Amino acid sequence: MPSAHVFNSGPESVVYTTSNGAPYPEPYEAQRVHVGNKQIGSALLLQDFHHIDLLAHFDRERIPERVVHAKGGGAHGVFEATHDISDLSCAKLFEVGKKTPLTLRFSTVGGESGSADTARDPRGFAIKMRTEEGNLDWVFNNTPIFFLRDPAKFPHFIHTQKRDPQTHLKDNDMFWDYLSQNPESVHQVMILMGDRGIPKGHAFQHGYSGHTFKFVNDKGEWQYVQIHVRSDQGVDFYTQEDGVKLAGENPDIHNAELFEQIEQGKFPSWTVSVQTMTQQQAEQFRHSVFDLTKVWPHAEYPLRPVGKITLNKNPENYFAEIEQVAFSPSHLVPGIEPSADPVLQSRLFSYPDTHRHRLGVNYQQIPVNAPLVPVANFQRDGFMTVNGNQGNRPNYQSLIKPLQYSKRNTVSATHEQLAAAQINNFLSQVDDKDFEQPRALWEKVFDDSAKSRFINNISGHLGGCKSKEIQQRQLKVFQRVHPDIASRIGEKIGVTV
Ligand code: HEM
């Protein structure tokens, strides 16, 4: 089967053609019926495929933008394994010295595709690694925790951070109404409203799995892990004032700077490390390892280095290589497994589902998503089958050519013993333990000037609420973190708890 020709050379080297490849003399021309000598106003012809195809294709240029994380930019690079972790995981990409090609996309969460890079928002940090055992996606954020731990809250939460259904405006009341009624969000709110809320650029932020995953070794033994991708450039931030100013002056600053850095050969890099916990440690841990609102203290669970990520190549074509890239936490390889974190479990479903909607059922065949290794299974046909449809290989499991894979037995036993458990409807409840880590952030991590910026950032946003009731409710949440936070914000916005 002939392979499609990819145009990636300059315009001087190609002949202008119609979409079926026929040479055509002049892109601006259209076939017309000339009546008399009139140059303008003569009739167009339906037979003019060139002209009709041009307009029809233009009419269909936009695909749905991502429902969240719509604004983003990215680049290609490499993951190099630097430290032996074979006792933890049998994934081949972790063999020391191995280099795995990757694509990485940074994004903001709430804004539309054209929104400003310097919005105060968590950042997406999604990596697709093309390993010899298939594609591994790490769909991370730049914060080690998240706003929720009950996945059914996610669409509600996102709606409140986007636009009001009537006014189509962002709405501070909606924003804080949700957060104040769901206080498990306060840890992430404090990171969002602190200095990490507006990174100085894509290169100046860390990425975190947030969720607990499982690493499984070749004996089938497993441990829980949290994955950290720490910036070698260090972490830097814009103040609220700078962020607002740049949103007007240069809304694409982060994407522009990343592109420029890579063009100049100043390749940004990150060090990949893991925290690990055995099943026994997890059972004794103060919090659930499946609670996405909690971190694992580094003093008890130190970082263990794994490898390095370097971005060294800009995309040739943004749409093909960044807009069409489709990440999913369920794109895993042998040796890495999901944990029972319910938010992670929901995400395992949600991403391939949204890709089928946004890019089509054969999204894995789009070149940026296609694994470098051959795909062999019994999926066939569907819109936009472009990879030869697995040729003449049987389209059902046939005893003549059984598919075999030696690592089948590495899938780990479940800690959760789901088979014996009862099924019930569950919603987590907030208790005092939920405020311990946010309190440590305030008392031990923020210095005095970081505290002042945090108070100003919150007061600016919460002060924009029209409802005193919502403001008071959120101050009560902060009071449970630390009374100073509530009183300092209360004083600034003229509200007492
Ligand atoms: C993007 C769903 C939580 C990280 C998305 C998209 C959906 C989604 C539908 C759009 C994907 C696309 O169109 O390509 C959810 C759901 C969640 C959840 C249902 C919780 C129940 C999280 C969490 C993280 C995260 C906890 C990080 C730890 C990302 C990233 C992207 C994304 C990085 C952008 C990927 C890209 O660059 O294409 N999410 N999400 N999400 N999500 Fe989530």
Side-chain angles (χ1 to χ4, degrees):
M1 163 143 185
S3 64
H5 181 68
V6 178
F7 290 107
N8 53 13
S9 47
E12 67 284 353
S13 62
V14 295
V15 169
Y16 180 67
T17 70
T18 56
S19 64
N20 56 313
Y24 196 82
E26 163 57 55
Y28 285 176
E29 280 178 2
Q31 285 181 3
R32 302 184 188 196
V33 180
H34 281 294
V35 181
N37 290 330
K38 285 200 184 121
Q39 282 291 318
I40 310 292
S42 48
L44 289 170
L45 285 180
L46 190 59
Q47 71 171 32
D48 185 357
F49 175 71
H50 168 260
H51 188 61
I52 288 170
D53 194 46
L54 169 74
L55 296 185
H57 192 277
F58 176 73
D59 294 343
R60 291 163 177 80
E61 274 182 7
R62 291 285 86 78
I63 63 170
E65 65 176 35
R66 290 167 174 84
V67 61
V68 280
H69 296 260
K71 174 69 189 288
H76 306 295
V78 65
F79 167 79
E80 181 170 4
T82 52
H83 291 71
D84 179 23
I85 59 160
S86 53
D87 59 312
L88 287 177
S89 173
C90 58
K92 287 195 176 166
L93 85 154
F94 294 138
E95 286 169 8
V96 174
K98 187 153 282 178
K99 293 184 178 170
T100 302
L102 60 84
T103 300
L104 198 157
R105 180 175 181 268
F106 303 102
S107 50
T108 51
V109 180
E112 295 84 5
S113 168
S115 57
D117 286 348
T118 54
R120 182 170 293 282
D121 209 2
R123 264 64 186 173
F125 197 113
I127 310 165
K128 183 179 290 295
M129 290 186 254
R130 299 179 184 86
T131 87
E132 66 197 273
E133 296 175 300
N135 286 354
L136 167 67
D137 292 357
W138 282 351
V139 198
F140 296 177
N141 277 342
N142 72 340
T143 57
I145 44 146
F146 200 59
F147 295 94
L148 49 82
R149 57 184 170 220
D150 298 279
K153 292 187 179 182
F154 185 79
H156 301 258
F157 160 68
I158 291 295
H159 287 169
T160 65
Q161 313 299 296
K162 288 192 169 243
R163 292 178 183 275
D164 175 87
Q166 180 176 23
T167 61
H168 199 55
L169 299 172
K170 301 247 171 160
D171 187 305
N172 293 22
D173 282 57
M174 260 171 31
F175 186 95
W176 291 107
D177 194 17
Y178 173 88
L179 296 170
S180 59
Q181 293 191 69
N182 294 279
E184 73 273 26
S185 60
V186 73
H187 195 184
Q188 174 81 323
V189 168
M190 289 185 62
I191 293 179
L192 175 67
M193 291 293 168
D195 290 338
R196 301 263 173 121
I198 313 181
K200 196 147 209 168
H202 293 319
F204 298 104
Q205 56 185 340
H206 303 325
Y208 302 89
S209 63
H211 299 286
T212 296
F213 280 83
K214 282 167 160 177
F215 275 7
V216 191
N217 68 17
D218 56 7
K219 298 190 197 100
E221 300 159 341
W222 62 270
Q223 293 204 32
Y224 288 126
V225 296
Q226 287 270 341
I227 305 161
H228 298 245
V229 184
R230 294 178 69 83
S231 168
D232 295 333
Q233 295 67 236
V235 163
D236 205 352
F237 65 93
Y238 283 124
T239 61
Q240 178 68 16
E241 295 69 29
D242 288 344
V244 169
K245 190 162 170 280
L246 283 164
E249 287 173 1
N250 189 355
D252 301 316
I253 186 165
H254 287 172
N255 286 348
E257 283 179 355
L258 180 70
F259 191 88
E260 222 20 69
Q261 281 158 14
I262 293 176
E263 284 303 287
Q264 290 171 9
K266 296 177 192 154
F267 302 142
S269 66
W270 286 262
T271 299
V272 178
S273 310
V274 288
Q275 290 178 290
T276 61
M277 257 197 218
T278 61
Q279 177 174 345
Q280 199 184 17
Q281 285 174 311
E283 279 158 9
Q284 287 158 3
F285 186 48
R286 182 161 181 70
H287 307 284
S288 165
V289 291
F290 310 134
D291 181 347
L292 185 54
T293 67
K294 303 291 184 300
V295 293
W296 298 5
H298 286 224
E300 291 164 62
Y301 305 98
L303 290 177
R304 177 171 166 186
V306 175
K308 192 174 272 295
I309 283 174
T310 307
L311 292 183
N312 54 21
K313 187 173 180 312
N314 278 318
E316 293 276 335
N317 183 286
Y318 180 86
F319 182 84
E321 295 160 58
I322 302 298
E323 191 59 20
Q324 287 195 311
V325 65
F327 302 97
S328 172
S330 47
H331 297 160
L332 294 169
V333 296
I336 304 179
E337 293 180 17
S339 73
D341 175 339
V343 178
L344 175 59
Q345 290 286 326
S346 294
R347 295 180 67 207
L348 302 178
F349 156 75
S350 183
Y351 291 71
D353 185 53
T354 200
H355 300 329
R356 290 180 198 109
H357 159 69
R358 189 170 75 86
L359 300 164
V361 66
N362 284 315
Y363 72 91
Q364 300 271 36
Q365 294 184 22
I366 295 172
V368 70
N369 299 321
L372 297 179
V373 289
V375 172
N377 58 29
F378 306 100
Q379 297 177 8
R380 295 293 188 279
D381 311 350
F383 284 117
M384 302 306 294
T385 299
V386 293
N387 66 352
N389 209 22
Q390 304 195 36
N392 64 359
R393 208 168 31 226
N395 58 2
Y396 63 98
Q397 174 58 314
S398 145
L399 292 177
I400 302 164
K401 295 180 186 172
L403 301 178
Q404 288 188 341
Y405 192 67
S406 58
K407 279 194 188 168
R408 189 173 50 180
N409 296 330
T410 59
V411 174
S412 70
T414 59
H415 166 196
E416 300 77 34
Q417 297 176 322
L418 287 173
Q422 285 184 337
I423 292 176
N424 59 5
N425 290 336
F426 184 78
L427 174 65
S428 73
Q429 302 301 313
V430 172
D431 65 26
D432 288 343
K433 283 202 299 187
D434 287 310
F435 300 94
E436 291 171 0
Q437 293 191 348
R439 191 172 305 126
L441 197 61
W442 174 257
E443 289 178 339
K444 299 187 183 143
V445 181
F446 290 0
D447 61 18
D448 284 349
S449 58
K451 281 181 177 161
S452 300
R453 287 190 295 275
F454 168 78
I455 297 291
N456 281 338
N457 295 339
I458 299 253
S459 306
H461 204 291
L462 189 61
C465 263
K466 294 180 281 301
S467 160
K468 285 266 174 290
E469 188 193 327
I470 292 175
Q471 290 175 323
Q472 274 172 336
R473 208 194 293 140
Q474 184 62 38
L475 287 186
K476 280 189 187 142
V477 175
F478 286 129
Q479 201 168 38
R480 288 184 78 176
V481 178
H482 198 288
D484 287 357
I485 305 179
S487 62
R488 285 176 66 174
I489 299 171
E491 202 174 305
K492 278 196 173 280
I493 66 173
V495 174
T496 46
V497 191

